[in-house]
């Protein structure tokens, strides 16, 4: 067990939960390279034990909050996502048939698939917020207007953290009045 990684992960996720104002039924897309956390090039040092440590820092918190997790696979599975079947059904997402493995999907997705109550795989989602651990490119799975989060905690291990929340689009031009609560 890597207590330093667990604590760094907990700090990052708590900061994202707060800054993105995550609440019940929101969707958080998570992309994570355990290779990058270890300081190795992406895809070269997949580590299931490290992924389990990472998930131990946030999984129970997000689940108890009612925040849905969508965990992105690596490029070998075209960045497909592990989600709970209840979310896929609720959103009418088309399922795909694949089971992530450490070298085809990544250790993060493999761990999520083993932890989720009823995991299924989908290709697309539009999440409310996202955490990118190690530069795995989660942007394609965020709603259209993404807002970068200025993070205090910038790394987990050696992996750079990039996080974002989304907001509704501004429409209407210079005469429009906007709801401050949605900014």
């Amino acid at each position: 067990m890597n207590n330093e990684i667990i604590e760094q992960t907990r700090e990052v996720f708590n900061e994202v939960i707060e800054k993105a104002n995550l609440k019940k039924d929101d969707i958080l897309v998570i992309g994570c390279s355990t290779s990058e956390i270890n300081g190795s090039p992406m895809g070269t040092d997949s580590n299931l034990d490290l992924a389990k440590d990472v998930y131990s820092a946030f999984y129970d918190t997000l689940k108890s909050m009612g925040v849905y997790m969508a965990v992105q696979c690596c490029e070998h599975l075209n960045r497909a996502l592990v989600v709970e079947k209840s979310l896929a059904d609720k959103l009418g997402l088309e399922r795909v048939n694949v089971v992530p493995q450490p070298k085809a999907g990544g250790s993060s997705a493999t761990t999520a698939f083993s932890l989720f109550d009823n995991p299924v795989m989908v290709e697309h989602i539009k999440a409310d917020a996202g955490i990118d651990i190690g530069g795995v490119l989660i942007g394609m799975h965020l709603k259209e207007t993404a807002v970068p989060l200025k993070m205090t905690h910038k790394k987990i291990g050696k992996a750079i953290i990039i996080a974002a929340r989304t907001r509704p689009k501004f429409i209407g031009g210079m005469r429009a009045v906007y709801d401050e609560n949605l900014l």
Side-chain angles (χ1 to χ4, degrees):
M1 182 174 285
N2 189 324
N3 291 327
E4 183 179 358
I5 295 297
I6 293 169
E7 185 54 33
Q8 289 172 351
T9 303
R10 185 174 290 115
E11 290 171 354
V12 164
F13 274 78
N14 286 340
E15 188 174 1
V16 169
I17 288 166
E18 179 186 334
K19 289 184 174 181
N21 193 27
L22 291 176
K23 56 195 171 312
K24 184 177 180 355
D25 293 330
D26 282 348
I27 302 168
L28 177 68
V29 66
I30 301 163
C32 175
S33 169
T34 56
S35 299
E36 291 284 333
I37 291 172
N38 273 330
S40 300
M42 192 179 306
T44 64
D45 191 17
S46 193
N47 186 316
L48 276 173
D49 290 331
L50 182 57
K52 289 174 186 173
D53 285 348
V54 167
Y55 277 76
S56 74
F58 68 83
Y59 180 79
D60 289 338
T61 299
L62 290 174
K63 189 173 179 181
S64 70
M65 290 176 63
V67 172
Y68 289 107
M69 292 166 264
V71 179
Q72 180 180 277
C73 292
C74 72
E75 67 180 294
H76 297 100
L77 297 186
N78 298 324
R79 304 202 194 301
L81 302 145
V82 181
V83 298
E84 288 287 2
K85 183 179 183 301
S86 60
L87 178 62
D89 291 346
K90 177 180 176 179
L91 299 178
L93 301 174
E94 183 177 350
R95 291 172 54 182
V96 294
N97 186 3
V98 70
V99 176
Q101 303 298 307
K103 295 289 186 184
S107 289
S108 174
T110 302
T111 298
F113 199 86
S114 72
L115 285 174
F116 283 16
D117 294 330
N118 195 359
V120 297
M121 300 299 296
V122 300
E123 287 188 290
H124 307 285
I125 203 159
K126 291 297 180 187
D128 300 290
I131 298 177
D132 182 323
I133 303 167
V136 296
L137 302 176
I138 60 161
M140 69 183 78
H141 298 302
L142 292 172
K143 290 179 180 174
E144 198 165 317
T145 308
V147 179
L149 296 178
K150 303 297 182 195
M151 299 292 292
T152 304
H153 303 92
K154 300 185 184 305
K155 288 190 173 187
I156 296 175
K158 296 197 175 11
I160 294 172
I161 303 301
I162 299 171
R165 64 175 178 86
T166 61
R167 63 158 175 78
K169 295 179 190 179
F170 292 144
I171 63 168
M174 60 191 243
R175 294 183 184 173
V177 176
Y178 301 110
D179 182 343
E180 296 289 323
N181 294 318
L182 296 177
L183 302 179

